[in-house]
Every structure is written in structure tokens, then in C-alpha cells.
Amino acid sequence: MTRKLLKFQIILDRDSLLYLPGQVLAGRVLLETLESTAVLGLHFHVLGECTVNVAKGVRRDKSYDKENYIDFRMKLLDDFDNKPILLSAGVHCFPFKLGLPVSLPSTFLGQHGWIQYYCKTSLQESSGITHKNQQVFIVLNPIDLNLEDPLLSDPLEASVNHRIGVGPLGGTIRCNVGLDKRAYVSGENILLTGEIHNQTKLAIKLLKYALIETVQFYAHGKLLHQERRELAALVRERIKSGSRDVLQNGHLTVPPLPPTNLLGCHLIRIRYSVC
């Protein structure tokens, strides 16, 4: 009967549930039974996968794709002679240990796609009842900027002239923006400089420097959906006609984020930009 099983859980060796590629995933499956219970086996499954699921068109037809990064199965308890195994009343502990692959993409959760990692376990009683449980864990695959192109440490400057309006109210907005370098890690400040010259007859009501995340979702090699969100922003005062705004030592703080392009994933692409 189901009430024979008082406890059935997966306990990982790290309370944070956070692992890097190449590290050892270890823990135990803990069982507590009220009375002696005959079982046919205890199965353990580690799964890492990416799923993209996008509704398209008026009929909201689904476009779907998936790729796997881990699919490891083992038996923690097995009826080798095809006979039920009798578990005595009390607590039973079944340890497990697995070396994670070195090329795993980071965990990511989005509306139209996600990368997730799980430990799953199932216990089958001889009566036919099967108990199941699962535990999510998090993978972080950081980019080591020390190993990347040295050019990423160089400052970056961009200039653009934007013509707006026609006739006497028309004119040009001249923008010059600079970053102290081209790559950052979570927690760092993006140092900004900027000069915006309003050469129109109209006032600029809003000037904003923003850190933007762009996520693209693919299925079967085709781009299905793209979404953008603002991660951090620096708002400046309005600029009158003929005036300019000069920004020195501005900054945008990079929040905790998955790394650019989710290394190892072919279905979800991420990039970051300052706009």
C-alpha cells in the first residue's frame, strides 16, 4: 500500500544545487518505510535537455525541437534473479555519484524555451505501485574572459547621426557613446560615456542608456521567435533644442545572467547589447 512509504526523496550533496560542467554530481536517494515492503527495483535517471516550443500563426500551431546533453540511467537496487527484494521497515539510503560532462550549457528558463537538468528516481513495488520523485539542479557554464580574444578588453566607441522630421522642424541628433571594454561578467559595472547633441527644433523628452538581452529560439535550424528585455537602465534629463547632454562615468550593473550564446546549445541563442 502507498502509505507504507513514509519518505522518498533525492538529496544532493550541495544545498545550493549549483554545479559547474565537469564537477561531480553526488548525493543519495533516501527511503523510509513504515513496514517491510517488497520491491522490484529502484531506478535513477540524470537528464539534461533543451526544449523549444513556440506557438505560430492564427491557429497557434506548435513548432517544437529538443536536444539532450545528459541521459544517464542506473539501477540503485535491482532484482537480479527476477524475485522481489524485501526492504525492512526503517530508513534506507542509496548513494549515487556521476561526473558531469565538461561541455554542458548553462541552465536557462524562458517563455518559449528552456535548458533544465534533473535527477529522477522511481521505486516499483511488487504490488504494481510505482513511486516517482525528481530533483532539479542548476548548471552554470561561465565564460572565462582570460581565455577569450584580448580585443574584448579594449574600449568600444560608436557614433551615429539620426535625421528626424522634415522642413523647419527637422534636424539631426548626433550620438557618441563609449564603453570601457567589450565583455563583462555578472556583478561588474559597464562604464559609460556619452554625448548626445540635439540639432533639431524639438526637445528630446527621454534619453536612456539600457542593457538589453536578446533571446532567439530555433527549431530544425529555423528562427522561430525573438524576444528582448531591458536588464538595467540609466535615464538622463530632457535635452532642449540646440543643447547637448554629456555623460561621464555612468554605469550599468550587470545582473546575474546566463552567458552569451549558451555554449553547447544549438536551439537558444543569447546576446547582450547596450542601447
Side-chain angles (χ1 to χ4, degrees), residues 35-265:
E35 57 187 76
S36 297
T37 306
V39 301
L40 298 178
L42 176 62
H43 301 270
F44 185 72
H45 184 197
V46 179
L47 179 65
E49 62 184 7
C50 174
T51 301
V52 168
N53 197 355
V54 179
K56 302 289 285 185
V58 178
R59 298 175 56 188
R60 310 304 290 170
D61 295 330
K62 294 285 187 178
S63 295
Y64 177 86
D65 205 352
K66 176 186 284 191
E67 63 183 10
N68 281 21
Y69 312 114
I70 311 175
D71 192 356
F72 176 79
R73 302 171 188 266
M74 65 182 298
K75 296 179 179 180
L76 300 178
L77 185 63
D78 191 20
D79 56 336
F80 294 103
D81 53 2
N82 295 321
K83 294 181 180 180
I85 303 167
L86 189 63
L87 290 179
S88 60
V91 177
H92 301 267
C93 186
F94 301 89
F96 59 84
K97 183 179 291 187
L98 169 69
L100 296 175
V102 298
S103 58
L104 296 178
S106 297
T107 296
F108 175 81
L109 298 178
Q111 181 180 357
H112 302 286
W114 48 88
I115 300 172
Q116 286 193 287
Y117 297 89
Y118 312 87
C119 296
K120 299 183 177 184
T121 187
S122 63
L123 176 71
Q124 185 178 1
E125 295 187 25
S126 59
S127 63
I129 297 174
T130 299
H131 308 274
K132 296 182 179 181
N133 202 353
Q134 72 176 34
Q135 173 64 61
V136 173
F137 64 95
I138 302 166
V139 170
L140 176 62
N141 189 349
I143 296 176
D144 187 348
L145 296 183
N146 295 319
L147 303 178
E148 298 296 320
D149 192 327
L151 289 176
L152 295 179
S153 299
D154 291 346
L156 177 65
E157 294 185 358
S159 299
V160 63
N161 296 330
H162 185 60
R163 176 76 183 179
I164 63 171
V166 293
L169 294 181
T172 301
I173 298 176
R174 301 185 183 276
C175 305
N176 298 294
V177 179
L179 307 181
D180 61 317
K181 55 181 181 175
R182 308 179 184 212
Y184 301 85
V185 298
S186 295
E188 272 193 297
N189 285 330
I190 301 173
L191 301 183
L192 297 165
T193 59
E195 182 177 355
I196 313 299
H197 192 183
N198 182 10
Q199 297 177 332
T200 72
K201 300 298 183 179
L202 304 173
I204 296 176
K205 294 183 178 180
L206 177 66
L207 169 61
K208 179 167 67 173
Y209 297 84
L211 175 60
I212 302 295
E213 177 188 68
T214 302
V215 184
Q216 296 177 322
F217 300 93
Y218 290 80
H220 309 292
K222 296 182 179 180
L223 175 63
L224 296 181
H225 182 76
Q226 176 173 290
E227 57 188 37
R228 289 161 51 95
R229 65 175 177 136
E230 184 180 289
L231 303 172
L234 174 63
V235 178
R236 305 286 287 175
E237 297 179 356
R238 68 186 272 141
I239 308 174
K240 297 179 181 179
S241 172
S243 299
R244 68 180 67 200
D245 179 273
V246 178
L247 173 67
Q248 296 288 346
N249 301 319
H251 72 271
L252 298 170
T253 302
V254 181
L257 295 169
T260 298
N261 283 340
L262 293 173
L263 297 176
C265 176

